[in-house]
Amino acid sequence: MTASAAAGVQMVAARPCISASPGILTARVSRTDCMLSTTATFPKISCSWPLRFKRNDVVVRAISEECGPQGLPIDLRGKRAFIAGVADDNGYGWAIAKALAAAGAEILVGTWVPALNIFETSLRRGKFDESRKLPDGSLMDIVKVYPLDAVYDSPDDVPEDVKSNKRYAGASNWTVKEVVESVRNDFGSIDILVHSLANGPEVTKPLLETSRRGYLAAISASSYSYVSLLQHFLPIMNPGGASISLTYIASERAIPGYGGGMSSAKAALESDTRLGEKAKSELTPYQQALLGAELLRQLDLLRR
Ligand SMILES: NC(=O)c1ccc[n+]([C@@H]2O[C@H](COP(=O)([O-])OP(=O)(O)OC[C@H]3O[C@@H](n4cnc5c(N)ncnc54)[C@H](O)[C@@H]3O)[C@@H](O)[C@H]2O)c1
């Protein structure tokens, strides 16, 4: 992160725009120059803006500076979002959750099991209250926190050492399939799926020092997790629903320090997210109707 970004957020006035068009939210973030380029397209509305960012507040700051205290001028009331990958108030998942909440959406989050206790405790004790503040002064309400480990699709996939790991003790129904079943039982459906999670155990290792195990772990946690979430959520996604994933510029440029297969994982994630569009045409008409408009359009404002 550059010094200017670390020091705070300054909206770069270049070309913020809000326009109406169907589609979906995509984000591309460059760690090196601290620019975030985002196209956020919810049903009928699209927003794009480039800005300098402070990680925990980027989207909401963009909204409040661009759109005023009322937040993003779209109405997501009656829409329900599931954000996978929120375990504190410092990540993109949190910021996206705030942006969606500011637009009126109901917020559900999926929190990695080992981080669940501390996140729920902090939430309960009000540690996040300051950062829960929305542009209109109200506090973001997280309606439900689901324990999630997106590396596992169903209970049969969970190895014994994980089952008996004390960091997983006390939590249940946290595989992707079980989480989606719980969401269906609790709420019936969702409208927006946000994939904001990644994990690469060997991220600090250059590619040629990366083990097969580390590489595959990065792909599993950072790419296939999106495929799995989409597979399972699609049947309970309302018509016009939207899905997003967050990528990184290392998917297409060599970025030193982003190793361990993580750059490949991001390339795969982009491809898989794009392929959601194709997958849509291979779905049954009913599923197509559920999926709604295109799944992803990559927008690389950094290249402009
Ligand atoms: N931070 C950056 O500079 C940057 C740049 C480009 C893209 N991104 C992407 O943004 C997304 C969010 O990352 P972030 O920067 O907010 O970091 P973060 O650490 O706040 O978010 C990642 C989340 O993933 C969760 N997670 C890890 N493994 C998981 C699993 N198996 N199951 C469920 N949850 C799991 C973690 O608990 C964490 O909450 C990621 O896809 C990341 O690659 C981040």
Side-chain angles (χ1 to χ4, degrees), residues 29 55 85 87 91-92 112 148-151 196-198 246-248 266:
V29 183
R55 287 190 48 216
Y92 288 119
W112 194 35
L148 169 70
D149 193 326
V151 160
S196 182
L197 65 96
L246 283 85
T247 188
Y248 178 51
K266 286 304 186 191

Side-chain angles (χ1 to χ4, degrees), residues 1 27-32 34-36 53 55 84-96 110-116 147-152 168 174 176 195-200 217 220-222 225 229 245-250 258 262 266 269:
M1 182 175 287
R28 175 178 292 280
V29 183
S30 160
R31 194 190 294 265
T32 38
C34 292
M35 290 288 289
L36 174 84
F53 72 88
R55 287 190 48 216
V86 178
D88 55 34
D89 64 345
N90 193 39
Y92 288 119
W94 178 271
I96 292 169
T111 299
W112 194 35
V113 184
L116 182 72
L148 169 70
D149 193 326
V151 160
Y152 304 107
Y168 287 73
W174 42 259
V176 173
H195 177 278
S196 182
L197 65 96
N199 205 350
S220 174
S222 312
S225 53
L229 282 163
S245 63
L246 283 85
T247 188
Y248 178 51
I249 198 71
Y258 200 76
M262 276 306 298
K266 286 304 186 191
L269 180 65

Side-chain angles (χ1 to χ4, degrees), residues 188-243:
S189 63
I190 65 164
D191 301 279
I192 298 164
L193 170 64
V194 179
H195 177 278
S196 182
L197 65 96
N199 205 350
E202 298 183 15
V203 66
T204 55
K205 289 190 186 170
L207 184 65
L208 296 185
E209 291 171 23
T210 300
S211 70
R212 182 183 297 269
R213 189 189 170 103
Y215 186 98
L216 294 178
I219 296 276
S220 174
S222 312
S223 314
Y224 192 80
S225 53
Y226 175 77
V227 177
S228 180
L229 282 163
L230 190 57
Q231 271 174 1
H232 288 88
F233 267 117
L234 204 51
I236 66 162
M237 202 176 269
N238 289 321
S243 162

Side-chain angles (χ1 to χ4, degrees), residues 11-188:
M11 181 75 180
V12 177
R15 236 179 38 79
C17 89
I18 295 177
S19 60
S21 70
I24 203 162
L25 184 150
T26 70
R28 175 178 292 280
V29 183
S30 160
R31 194 190 294 265
T32 38
D33 58 10
C34 292
M35 290 288 289
L36 174 84
S37 302
T38 299
T39 284
T41 311
F42 300 101
K44 299 202 179 104
I45 295 289
S46 162
C47 268
S48 64
W49 58 84
L51 65 155
R52 297 222 169 259
F53 72 88
K54 179 180 160 205
R55 287 190 48 216
N56 66 355
D57 216 13
V58 56
V59 178
V60 169
R61 183 67 69 99
I63 288 167
S64 56
E65 293 194 14
E66 177 58 20
C67 307
Q70 298 314 308
L72 202 60
I74 59 175
D75 188 355
L76 291 179
R77 283 175 298 177
K79 305 289 181 193
R80 183 174 300 116
F82 183 93
I83 300 110
V86 178
D88 55 34
D89 64 345
N90 193 39
Y92 288 119
W94 178 271
I96 292 169
K98 280 178 77 174
L100 296 171
E106 189 175 81
I107 304 300
L108 315 177
V109 303
T111 299
W112 194 35
V113 184
L116 182 72
N117 270 345
I118 188 153
F119 178 63
E120 287 192 314
T121 305
S122 303
L123 204 54
R124 204 169 43 245
R125 293 187 179 161
K127 195 181 158 210
F128 300 139
D129 281 0
E130 189 55 35
S131 47
R132 280 172 62 208
K133 269 195 192 138
L134 299 177
D136 70 358
S138 66
L139 296 189
M140 170 173 65
D141 183 25
I142 297 178
V143 178
K144 188 153 181 182
V145 177
Y146 290 88
L148 169 70
D149 193 326
V151 160
Y152 304 107
D153 302 322
S154 69
D156 291 345
D157 301 329
V158 183
E160 281 307 322
D161 62 323
V162 174
K163 278 182 192 155
S164 57
N165 188 314
K166 65 177 185 201
R167 299 199 301 168
Y168 287 73
S172 58
N173 299 327
W174 42 259
T175 64
V176 173
K177 183 170 181 246
E178 293 170 297
V179 169
V180 175
E181 277 167 9
S182 301
V183 172
R184 177 170 37 209
N185 291 339
D186 293 341
F187 299 97

